[in-house]
Amino acid sequence: MDLTVKIRNKTLPNPVGVASGTFGYGEEYAQLTDLSALGALYTKALTVEPRPGNALPRLVETPAGMINSIGLANVGVERFLTEKIPYLETLTCPVILNVAGSTEEEYASVISRVDSQNAIWAYEVNISCPNVKHGGMAFGTDPVQVERLTKTLRKLTDKAIIMKLTPNVTDIALIAQAAEAGGADAISCINTVMGMVVDINSRKPAIPAISGGLSGPAIRPVGVAAVWRVSRVVTIPVIGLGGILTWEDAVQYLLAGADAIQIGTGNFVTPDASVKVLNGIISYMKEAGFQKIEDFHGHF
Amino acid sequence: MKNFGSSILNQKEIAIGYREMTISWPQSLEAPLPGQFLTVKVTENPAPLLRRPFALSGFDREKNTASLIYQLRGPATRLMATLEINSSIEVLSPLGNNFTLPEKDETPLLVAGGIGLGPVLYLARELDKNGFSPRLVVGGRTESFLPDLSNLKNGSIHYCSDDGSAGFRGTAVDYLKSLDWKELPSARLYSCGPQGMLNACHNLALEKNIPSEVSMEQMMACGVGACMGCAIEVIGPEQYARVCKEGPVFDSRRIKWT
Ligand SMILES: Cc1cc2nc3c(=O)[nH]c(=O)nc-3n(C[C@H](O)[C@H](O)[C@H](O)COP(=O)(O)OP(=O)(O)OC[C@H]3O[C@@H](n4cnc5c(N)ncnc54)[C@H](O)[C@@H]3O)c2cc1C
Ligand SMILES: Cc1cc2nc3c(=O)[nH]c(=O)nc-3n(C[C@H](O)[C@H](O)[C@H](O)COP(=O)(O)O)c2cc1C
Ligand code: FES
């Protein structure tokens, strides 16, 4: 059985990754799950300058989901290179750096400054964060800007560029096509869905940022539909995420057209969800007689 | 730190709206220290989704059991209350940091309110075992709960209630203020409970110029330092600290009180 997934000129060992912002830099989960079994580890978003993050509180639970307003809290490029890279270098799984910025120059600057690091397997470009004013979602909702940004970044590196899309758009397929036209090597979808909770006792929003990013099982059908729409219109691999807790959830994504998947909020609930999901996918493939990931595709 | 399947060995109501649960602890896993916490996955269903954090209220290495005291609040704790003895739950622990031990000549003053009782009880028992004479002050809504501290050799417990119906009339901090501080040349304050109480403890510590630790709370998602969700504001080079990683126990002088 071949579980590998080809992206640009390299292959991921298996289709199960852990999503940006939910798994730190791996170290936090090292005692709880086998990091060497990960198909890919997507790091927390990295910006040029350190970001302390948004006002408090940053989390609220919702029916079968949660809203976060972390605000891309991260240590910035300089400290990333000295504090995070040494640990990432010890990992055997592919490490995909999630990159964020508020201008094209900022995205470019992150990539230029870290590109010589062998520990970085590829970039996932976050043009979809709903939690900062200029946190990329402004890019991610405009196909013209998406194509231009992708083109700019494409020139800076030989590593794969994965564009991570927001579902908060009228037609995600258009954005995916723009990313492919700009030279993207893969598409990740989806980032969180914009959501809001009002506290009826205080008569105020539950989080000071008013709205935040909804994740977890509540958004799974939104993610599956996005993967279906996107995989119809692009030829590059599609990495599906949103609400995956179990292998059954992951198989839905693969059948809808995903080549790989990521687990985000699911890690909070089950720290070794990635291992369990991968084992479930393997069993399902055995039973179905699937030899490779493409065998999931084309059933409808 | 480990995520493990645990058996519920006992659970009972200890005061109106409060329950104590005793669970099994893997023999191979390190003992949790006073102040540390666990997270519980209360259901296999997608709601309530997030694991819930609870401080340890006791630990027994010989029997390999741990306990927690929880207040019935919402969906997760209501579900926990229905779990039968011998049923299993998924527990991730030990998480976070712990209270630091006092200096040899210091009198530990422990203040607990509401859901803060668990970790403070555990600390009181450990300090007593280590030859200290902890003075435990329990305030507020838990006046109907009288924890069994009969096996404490040196410790003492003082109850406070706003209406004077149980013990001292006033808050736990009022009680501390009423003490003869000349008798307490060096004291160290530990507190866990509602934010207002922690803030009052901090102010008292400043006034008396004594060290003080507080156990903080914040909404958590991962519980292991990965998501940055549980941040609180602190004083120092970094604006925020994670309650699940740098905490839950903080030097009260590090907290940015609002
Ligand atoms: C470090 C720490 C230690 C704690 N120790 C204890 C303890 O010893 N005993 C005890 O009774 N309670 C403790 N709590 C609080 C406990 O986690 C909540 O009471 C519990 O999560 C309530 O869940 P619920 O579904 O019953 O109620 P809900 O209605 O869902 O929530 C009620 C309140 O509980 C808190 N809460 C809910 N979900 C979370 C979460 N995922 N993370 C953090 N807080 C949450 C929020 O303040 C919320 O407003 C602790 C919290 C923290 C952060
Ligand atoms: C706490 C938290 C932090 C996140 N941080 C990032 C981030 O830094 N960059 C990013 O591209 N996505 C981030 N995300 C989005 C996730 O990677 C993922 O796209 C989204 O949560 C949907 O997947 P899920 O339902 O499996 O969590 C974050 C999500 C959560 C819950
Ligand atoms: S709960 Fe995730 S960092 Fe603390």
Side-chain angles (χ1 to χ4, degrees):
Chain A
M1 189 185 292
D2 180 6
L3 291 171
T4 60
V5 180
K6 186 157 190 254
I7 294 179
R8 197 167 169 85
N9 47 9
K10 289 197 281 195
T11 52
L12 298 173
N14 72 63
V16 181
V18 284
S20 175
T22 67
F23 211 76
Y25 298 89
E27 204 163 1
E28 294 82 354
Y29 278 94
Q31 288 180 61
L32 300 172
T33 190
D34 180 5
L35 300 182
S36 69
L38 294 174
L41 188 160
Y42 299 76
T43 69
K44 177 68 195 168
L46 182 64
T47 53
V48 178
E49 297 300 328
R51 292 182 54 93
N54 284 351
L56 316 173
R58 295 173 174 175
L59 302 173
V60 54
E61 185 163 328
T62 63
M66 58 174 276
I67 288 177
N68 86 78
S69 168
I70 308 295
L72 300 180
N74 79 94
V75 296
V77 168
E78 209 170 296
R79 283 177 60 192
F80 170 78
L81 289 172
T82 55
E83 294 173 21
K84 309 294 179 188
I85 279 285
Y87 181 77
L88 295 176
E89 277 172 342
T90 68
L91 298 178
T92 54
C93 66
V95 173
I96 298 178
L97 185 74
N98 188 268
V99 180
S102 44
T103 60
E104 209 169 287
E105 293 71 38
E106 279 180 29
Y107 283 98
S109 170
V110 173
I111 292 185
S112 310
R113 289 175 63 184
V114 303
D115 201 46
S116 61
Q117 299 299 322
N118 291 325
I120 300 170
W121 195 93
Y123 301 104
E124 180 180 58
V125 182
N126 178 359
I127 48 167
S128 42
C129 181
N131 287 333
V132 290
K133 278 207 187 77
H134 310 283
M137 212 169 85
F139 282 97
T141 53
D142 176 359
V144 177
Q145 289 197 61
V146 169
E147 184 171 343
R148 196 173 61 215
L149 177 67
T150 314
K151 261 193 189 132
T152 304
L153 303 182
R154 176 67 287 156
K155 286 184 208 129
L156 297 176
T157 176
D158 275 336
K159 294 180 173 152
I161 290 187
I162 303 164
M163 299 304 280
K164 182 166 177 182
L165 308 191
T166 171
N168 305 312
V169 291
T170 27
D171 188 0
I172 197 167
L174 279 180
I175 310 287
Q177 282 173 312
E180 185 174 33
D185 301 294
I187 302 288
S188 286
C189 59
I190 55 176
N191 206 316
T192 52
V193 178
M194 191 184 288
M196 176 171 172
V197 169
V198 179
D199 181 336
I200 63 166
N201 296 314
S202 68
R203 303 194 184 108
K204 298 239 155 49
I207 52 174
I210 300 179
S211 66
L214 178 65
S215 66
I219 69 166
R220 194 195 61 217
V222 180
V224 173
V227 163
W228 165 254
R229 303 250 314 119
V230 167
S231 61
R232 296 311 91 191
V233 300
V234 299
T235 59
I236 50 179
V238 177
I239 303 162
L241 73 157
I244 298 177
L245 287 190
T246 65
W247 66 265
E248 290 95 331
D249 301 339
V251 165
Q252 281 201 44
Y253 270 95
L254 294 167
L255 289 169
D259 297 277
I261 59 101
Q262 297 176 29
I263 299 167
T265 302
N267 298 306
F268 303 154
V269 183
T270 312
D272 60 350
S274 47
V275 174
K276 292 186 169 133
V277 166
L278 178 61
N279 289 337
I281 290 174
I282 293 171
S283 303
Y284 183 89
M285 287 176 73
K286 274 189 193 141
E287 201 147 301
F290 290 179
Q291 296 302 319
K292 50 190 188 313
I293 301 299
E294 293 88 83
D295 294 344
F296 279 98
H297 302 157
H299 297 276
F300 54 94
Chain B
M1 183 209 303
K2 196 172 166 179
N3 186 38
F4 56 94
S6 176
S7 305
I8 297 173
L9 303 173
N10 199 6
Q11 94 148 309
K12 56 175 192 280
E13 184 170 78
I14 53 169
I16 297 163
Y18 284 84
R19 296 176 74 83
E20 181 176 39
M21 185 185 266
T22 307
I23 60 168
S24 66
W25 193 266
Q27 205 176 343
S28 58
L29 185 59
E30 69 262 31
L33 299 168
Q36 288 193 295
F37 66 98
L38 48 74
T39 64
V40 188
K41 180 176 177 177
V42 290
T43 168
E44 291 298 321
N45 295 324
L49 179 69
L50 296 173
R51 299 172 83 110
R52 296 297 200 267
F54 299 94
L56 278 305
S57 62
F59 181 74
D60 187 330
R61 183 82 275 184
E62 266 146 46
K63 296 189 194 138
N64 283 313
T65 60
S67 54
L68 54 128
I69 292 172
Y70 67 94
Q71 183 188 22
L72 289 166
R73 283 173 95 172
T77 49
R78 276 204 300 268
L79 248 166
M80 282 164 69
T82 66
L83 297 176
E84 309 225 342
I85 291 173
N86 288 328
S87 63
S88 65
I89 47 165
E90 202 178 299
V91 171
L92 172 56
S93 195
L95 300 173
N97 69 350
N98 53 282
F99 292 109
T100 50
L101 287 181
E103 305 288 335
K104 282 245 158 9
D105 57 342
E106 280 176 346
T107 304
L109 301 175
L110 281 54
V111 181
I115 60 169
L117 189 61
V120 169
L121 264 186
Y122 186 19
L123 178 65
R125 292 202 187 98
E126 283 298 300
L127 290 175
D128 186 72
K129 251 197 254 170
N130 286 297
F132 292 100
S133 306
R135 293 202 192 182
L136 174 54
V137 188
V138 180
R141 294 188 213 114
T142 45
E143 69 272 10
S144 55
F145 173 47
L146 302 171
D148 178 16
L149 289 170
S150 51
N151 56 355
L152 285 195
K153 290 193 292 283
N154 315 304
S156 59
I157 185 162
H158 311 274
Y159 290 93
C160 310
S161 56
D162 295 341
D163 57 2
S165 60
F168 180 83
R169 179 196 291 264
T171 66
V173 178
D174 291 337
Y175 170 79
L176 286 178
K177 282 185 180 160
S178 76
L179 292 179
D180 182 0
W181 281 77
K182 285 183 224 90
E183 295 281 285
L184 297 165
S186 58
R188 181 182 287 257
L189 195 55
Y190 301 90
S191 51
C192 187
Q195 180 100 5
M197 193 194 87
L198 301 185
N199 199 345
C201 285
H202 166 67
N203 290 336
L204 180 71
L206 287 185
E207 187 188 313
K208 303 290 181 191
N209 195 24
I210 57 171
S212 134
E213 286 183 338
V214 289
S215 180
M216 302 295 287
E217 262 187 58
Q218 184 57 286
M219 273 296 294
M220 290 185 179
C222 71
V224 298
C227 74
M228 307 294 154
C230 65
I232 56 166
E233 265 195 282
V234 291
I235 297 159
E238 312 271 351
Q239 187 183 353
Y240 297 109
R242 295 164 296 183
V243 171
C244 74
K245 198 77 184 175
E246 285 84 41
V249 178
F250 291 89
D251 181 334
S252 73
R253 288 168 175 82
R254 214 186 141 198
I255 304 292
K256 194 158 171 193
W257 299 100
T258 44

